[in-house]
Amino acid sequence: MGCIVSNLRCIVCTFLASTSGVFRMAESSGGSSFMYMSADNVKGLILALSSSLFIGASFIVKKKGLKKAGASGIRAGVGGYSYLHEPLWWAGMITMIVGEVANFTAYAFAPAILVTPLGALSIIVSAVLAHIMLKEKLHILGILGCILCVVGSTTIVLHAPQEREIDSVKDVWNLALEPGAFCFDLVLISSGK
């Protein structure tokens, strides 16, 4: 069990070490900005990471609330509503709402290609907290899945393109006529959905 916890710590340290280059400061003509990302992308990154932390933790807090409510009343799985009187469950629900608001706000600052992959980190937060707080066993395939999530998210974050500015309807029209968008439209229309 100690080996799993140390592996999970290694995963988190690897992610933090690989993304630390994103946060190096460099002076530019418009004041200080980040070397690899625009200031808005960094805000979106921070909001997306905090969203993953809040959402991942909310699942564990809600489950602890459900277990506590089930011990003192009719379980939710049997049709009981005793969890609605459990403050721990409500704390988990509020934590999830805060995480979703942070996620929604992240899309205002950063492109979807940057924000969306970071949502996978909530799975890692849930897995680690479930292992620690709920004493659930995290097997080797679970650890491998966590590593793959971190590697994939880190790769996408470090190589996320800058968002294009769209200033007119003509720009939207030109984007719609690009081969990728045109092929997507044809596939969508031909599938009937």
Side-chain angles (χ1 to χ4, degrees):
M1 184 156 327
C3 179
I4 293 174
V5 173
S6 66
N7 286 338
L8 292 174
R9 285 183 188 148
C10 182
I11 291 168
V12 172
C13 290
T14 302
F15 177 75
L16 293 175
S18 63
T19 58
S20 66
V22 171
F23 297 106
R24 278 186 268 158
M25 299 293 284
E27 290 298 319
S28 67
S29 59
S32 64
S33 67
F34 289 88
M35 187 179 296
Y36 300 113
M37 304 173 82
S38 69
D40 282 344
N41 280 1
V42 172
K43 289 176 191 172
L45 174 73
I46 291 168
L47 283 166
L49 287 173
S50 64
S51 167
S52 292
L53 291 173
F54 280 112
I55 292 171
S58 74
F59 292 124
I60 306 306
V61 174
K62 285 191 300 184
K63 185 166 182 177
K64 286 187 79 75
L66 285 171
K67 284 184 169 187
K68 189 174 178 184
S72 64
I74 301 174
R75 292 183 39 157
V78 186
Y81 298 102
S82 61
Y83 65 93
L84 293 174
H85 300 289
E86 180 57 47
L88 195 57
W89 184 84
W90 282 107
M93 185 57 77
I94 290 169
T95 305
M96 177 172 270
I97 291 169
V98 168
E100 292 297 346
V101 168
N103 191 38
F104 181 74
T105 308
Y107 283 102
F109 290 104
I113 196 163
L114 179 67
V115 176
T116 305
L118 294 175
L121 297 179
S122 65
I123 297 167
I124 296 171
V125 172
S126 291
V128 171
L129 291 178
H131 177 74
I132 294 168
M133 296 176 68
L134 299 174
K135 307 297 184 218
E136 294 179 1
K137 189 166 178 110
L138 187 60
H139 298 285
I140 190 70
L141 288 177
I143 294 170
L144 179 62
C146 289
I147 291 169
L148 290 173
C149 281
V150 169
V151 169
S153 294
T154 303
T155 302
I156 291 173
V157 166
L158 292 178
H159 301 288
Q162 291 291 328
E163 196 170 15
R164 282 199 245 181
E165 293 292 325
I166 298 175
D167 296 325
S168 68
V169 174
K170 186 176 180 181
D171 290 343
V172 174
W173 182 252
N174 289 337
L175 289 172
L177 293 179
E178 285 187 0
F182 195 69
C183 290
F184 175 77
D185 293 339
L186 287 176
V187 169
L188 195 64
I189 291 169
S190 66
S191 69
K193 293 185 179 182

